[in-house]
Amino acid sequence: MNKDYYNELINEQIRYLLEKEELLNREITEIATTFEYHSLEDNVSLDRLEIGSINEKRQQIFTISELIHNLDKLKIKVVE
């Protein structure tokens, strides 16, 4: 396997993970926005399920970031 092909496979995985991370960030924003755009008089609060969902998605984002970092370290550097 040549290094360009190998690096491209890694780049494809990184792009996929970045898309997944963006999707998770959007989902967190949607949950938080529902809460944010209500006034105190509306008596709207995040329930445990929503908070748990946000925390789970944050953990997934952290894990994805670690995977991206580790994949980037696996790339074969071009030596000139």
Side-chain angles (χ1 to χ4, degrees):
M1 181 179 315
N2 69 35
K3 59 186 160 195
D4 292 333
Y5 179 74
Y6 177 78
N7 285 343
E8 184 54 35
L9 287 177
I10 291 174
N11 286 332
E12 285 179 25
Q13 291 304 310
I14 289 173
R15 283 191 293 274
Y16 169 78
L17 291 169
L18 287 171
E19 289 174 11
K20 181 69 174 168
E21 183 178 46
E22 184 179 332
L23 177 64
L24 289 167
N25 277 318
R26 252 189 265 137
E27 290 175 2
I28 289 171
T29 301
E30 287 175 13
I31 294 169
T33 302
T34 301
F35 175 73
E36 184 177 332
Y37 286 111
H38 288 83
S39 69
L40 291 174
E41 294 81 32
D42 292 339
N43 197 22
V44 174
S45 63
L46 293 173
D47 62 19
R48 284 185 181 179
L49 183 60
E50 291 169 319
I51 292 169
S53 177
I54 288 173
N55 289 336
E56 181 180 315
K57 290 176 191 323
R58 284 182 176 166
Q59 181 61 44
Q60 289 174 1
I61 289 169
F62 175 77
T63 303
I64 288 171
S65 296
E66 288 292 311
L67 281 170
I68 290 170
H69 176 73
N70 290 334
L71 281 171
D72 195 48
K73 290 189 326 186
L74 288 175
K75 288 182 185 176
I76 299 172
K77 306 299 182 216
V78 177
V79 180
E80 294 181 21

